[in-house]
Amino acid sequence: MTSDPTNLTGSGTVFDDGERLQKVLARVGIGSRRVCENLIAEGRVTVNGTVADLGRRVDADTDEVAIDGVAVGVKPGLVHYLLNKPAGVVTTADDPQGRPTVIGLVPLEPRVFPVGRLDMDTEGLLLLTNDGALTHRLTHPSYGVEKEYIAHLDGSPTRAELRRLREGIELEDGLTAPAEAALLAPGVIRLTIHEGRNRQVRRMCDAIGHPVIRLVRSRIGPLADRRLKPGEWRSLTTSELRALETAASESSGTRPGPKRSRP
Ligand code: URA
């Protein structure tokens, strides 16, 4: 056995260009180079859907890298911000009416885009990124990452009304999927939904006769942060990004199975 785990002798296809895979994985915070080498040696890392050998080189700009079938954002320059959106700010890049936008609350460079949207009057967590692949997965119609809202209502819902929220409500664009609904205090509920229809929470609450007075998104899948103040943003940590990638692949049902390049 060689003492150099990246020794390529007899280890299959060698890609001369690009950076070593373990170096790229270590750079984005997966672990030390040795940890990353072990992941590769265990056959848990794929490049463009094919299990990678030790010594594999990748182009971090174009190659799709995944660990255990979950995509890892390795492209240099990718940013992922978690913003606590205040009320009165619109979730668009440009507003023809000149209202303040969420883009004005985060760094202008590199240019980022919101993932999904919150109504102007809704507060709480919003993801902004220039990671098109992740945005695509999170906004795909089958996207089912949980979104949790705290809704302050006009009046307090009865148990039967909460049950209606849980079991599904007939809205003009169809029946809502099963949701979780809990009464936190009189007139305050926590509603967890998997869909992302326009003004969905407000319309569901209207339908049970308790219009929303204040709406705050408190969680997006694994992402929550009670210390982030309205108007503040921060970058996702590496483990948060991994958890989000995992949640997106699990919920969309598109998690790819690795193909072996050779037996
Ligand atoms: N549901 C709503 O009604 N509004 C939002 O902003 C988000 C979810």
Side-chain angles (χ1 to χ4, degrees):
M1 208 164 99
T2 173
S3 59
D4 173 7
T6 63
N7 186 313
L8 303 179
T9 314
S11 68
T13 314
V14 177
F15 294 80
D16 291 334
D17 294 336
E19 268 181 292
R20 281 190 191 277
L21 181 55
Q22 62 268 35
K23 188 173 167 199
V24 171
L25 291 174
R27 175 161 49 73
V28 298
I30 300 300
S32 67
R33 283 215 202 160
R34 179 52 58 110
V35 165
C36 297
E37 284 165 2
N38 288 341
L39 288 171
I40 299 167
E42 288 163 12
R44 294 171 59 189
V45 183
T46 56
V47 178
N48 304 326
T50 300
V51 173
D53 293 317
L54 265 177
R56 173 72 203 253
R57 287 178 181 270
V58 291
D59 180 343
D61 278 319
T62 55
D63 286 323
E64 294 292 337
V65 178
I67 301 176
D68 296 334
V70 176
V72 178
V74 295
K75 293 182 182 60
L78 285 187
V79 294
H80 306 83
Y81 303 140
L82 187 65
L83 169 73
N84 185 350
K85 176 192 169 303
V89 174
V90 288
T91 311
T92 48
D94 279 311
D95 184 52
Q97 297 171 48
R99 294 170 296 185
T101 73
V102 291
I103 300 298
L105 294 172
V106 295
L108 280 179
E109 292 293 335
R111 191 168 165 79
V112 293
F113 297 90
V115 179
R117 63 182 293 278
L118 291 177
D119 302 331
M120 177 152 155
D121 290 333
T122 303
E123 305 158 53
L125 299 181
L126 180 72
L127 190 62
L128 297 108
T129 182
N130 57 355
D131 186 340
L134 179 63
T135 301
H136 176 73
R137 281 200 301 286
L138 289 173
T139 53
H140 191 269
S142 60
Y143 165 44
V145 169
E146 282 183 351
K147 281 142 292 192
E148 180 189 277
Y149 296 88
I150 307 297
H152 298 246
L153 306 179
D154 183 1
S156 203
T158 62
R159 289 161 72 125
E161 287 164 342
L162 286 174
R163 196 176 326 119
R164 284 187 65 204
L165 291 176
R166 285 187 204 111
E167 291 176 356
I169 299 228
E170 193 62 51
L171 299 178
E172 63 205 14
D173 50 356
L175 190 67
T176 59
E180 287 166 37
L183 190 66
L184 302 182
V188 183
I189 63 167
R190 182 178 58 226
L191 188 61
T192 310
I193 60 175
H194 297 255
E195 302 166 288
R197 299 196 221 167
N198 196 25
R199 298 180 68 81
Q200 181 167 343
V201 173
R202 291 175 197 275
R203 290 189 292 141
M204 288 172 75
C205 295
D206 280 346
I208 61 162
H210 296 282
V212 166
I213 295 168
R214 180 179 177 215
L215 186 58
V216 182
R217 182 153 70 185
S218 46
R219 184 166 61 82
I220 306 168
L223 306 178
D225 188 335
R226 296 170 82 152
R227 281 180 301 195
L228 205 59
K229 298 195 174 60
E232 282 184 357
W233 64 274
R234 65 170 174 81
S235 294
L236 295 189
T237 64
T238 306
S239 56
E240 283 177 326
L241 182 56
R242 290 265 296 145
L244 188 63
E245 297 268 17
T246 303
S249 8
E250 281 168 353
S251 63
S252 67
T254 55
R255 192 167 174 152
K259 293 185 296 233
R260 285 255 165 207
S261 56
R262 57 198 167 86

